[in-house]
Amino acid sequence: MVGAAVTLVVGGGLVIRAQAPPIPPPGSKTPVSGYTVVRTYPHDPKAFTQGLEYHDGFLYEGTGLKGQSAIRKVELETGKVVQEEKINPAYFGEGITLTAGKLFELTWQTRTGFVYDAKTFKLIRNFGYFGEGWGLTHDDTGLVMSDGTSTLRFLELTRFTERRRLKVIDAGVPVPNLNELEMVKGEIWANVWQTDYIARISPRDGRVLGWINLKGLLSPAVAKTKVDVLNGIAYDQANDRIFVTGKLWPMLFEIKVK
């Protein structure tokens, strides 16, 4: 799919894909890692995965498309949805993250985020931001969000004021289309939309520390079905496990980066 310009209609939601830039950028000397699959788990093939996180033995997932967006608690081993809260059909759900006993969710073009109780999924409040909402994670001081550009925004956790912005660059070139985010061992990992790559980003200066090439993760037979792009990174810190999946993918993978 890299380099293709495609317009795709999925489940009543219109998704427009612009021309994808080359990844890694020309002239990049940043190391590129491969992967091995440790284990494969079932994943709901109807889930348009926008956000993914591992917490206390469960996966938490935010799904997209208007009229189908929801936040979910999911059994890792079975893929069974054990708790779900659908969001207002007017919103296209995007990235999620859990911290401080709350689940935070972005929406795509409606400039609105939601805060839920992480245990009950009861809506606590909403908050606003400029531009689009794409991916979401957190550090020790607040939220980190992407908006589809090469810039990450760091937000304060209670008033959601913007603390700083970080331009993500490799070989002097801004890296656009940053999407789903995850904090992994002090680095920000980001799916680059429409590509098979994850960028490992320094939260200090925005430099890409490494690339992870996940090409071939889906078998050719599965890749020919109604799957969409790679999107979704979750990290189990206690057991040092990395999980990845994609939009409408029928499986989720535990991987080792090599």
Side-chain angles (χ1 to χ4, degrees), residues 26-221:
S28 172
K29 296 181 180 179
T30 303
V32 179
S33 301
Y35 67 93
T36 56
V37 174
V38 177
R39 189 170 175 186
T40 303
Y41 301 89
H43 179 253
D44 181 1
K46 295 181 180 179
F48 199 76
T49 305
Q50 303 288 71
L52 192 68
E53 191 149 332
Y54 184 90
H55 181 74
D56 286 347
F58 290 90
L59 286 169
Y60 289 79
E61 186 170 22
T63 67
L65 300 177
K66 285 189 176 181
Q68 301 180 41
S69 298
I71 54 172
R72 297 173 163 188
K73 181 179 180 180
V74 180
E75 286 184 349
L76 171 64
E77 299 286 337
T78 65
K80 179 182 177 183
V81 178
V82 296
Q83 189 176 353
E84 182 177 47
E85 183 71 25
K86 295 187 180 298
I87 70 172
N88 188 302
Y91 295 100
F92 190 118
E94 284 283 348
I96 65 164
T97 196
L98 281 83
T99 184
K102 300 178 178 65
L103 186 150
F104 299 83
E105 178 188 33
L106 301 177
T107 60
W108 183 26
Q109 294 180 317
T110 38
R111 301 184 178 187
T112 303
F114 299 109
V115 184
Y116 306 89
D117 181 279
K119 290 184 178 179
T120 65
F121 285 179
K122 181 180 179 180
L123 180 64
I124 298 172
R125 59 167 295 190
N126 57 20
F127 63 96
Y129 49 84
F130 293 105
E132 296 185 358
W134 284 45
L136 192 66
T137 188
H138 67 276
D139 60 14
D140 292 337
T141 59
L143 303 178
V144 186
M145 69 173 282
S146 64
D147 58 11
T149 69
S150 58
T151 298
L152 299 178
R153 306 186 212 171
F154 291 71
L155 307 180
E156 191 271 333
L157 199 58
T158 54
R159 297 184 179 179
F160 307 100
T161 53
E162 192 173 300
R163 296 185 291 118
R164 66 181 176 115
R165 293 193 175 198
L166 187 68
K167 178 74 75 173
V168 177
I169 293 177
D170 185 23
V173 178
V175 179
N177 294 341
L178 299 175
N179 200 358
E180 218 273 304
L181 305 176
E182 181 76 3
M183 292 294 298
V184 181
K185 299 180 182 179
E187 301 173 353
I188 301 171
W189 288 22
N191 285 119
V192 181
W193 186 49
Q194 301 181 61
T195 80
D196 295 314
Y197 285 89
I198 290 173
R200 296 173 39 228
I201 302 162
S202 165
R204 181 179 62 84
D205 59 13
R207 180 169 54 94
V208 177
L209 304 171
W211 295 100
I212 304 169
N213 185 355
L214 295 180
K215 184 177 181 179
L217 197 54
L218 289 178
S219 70

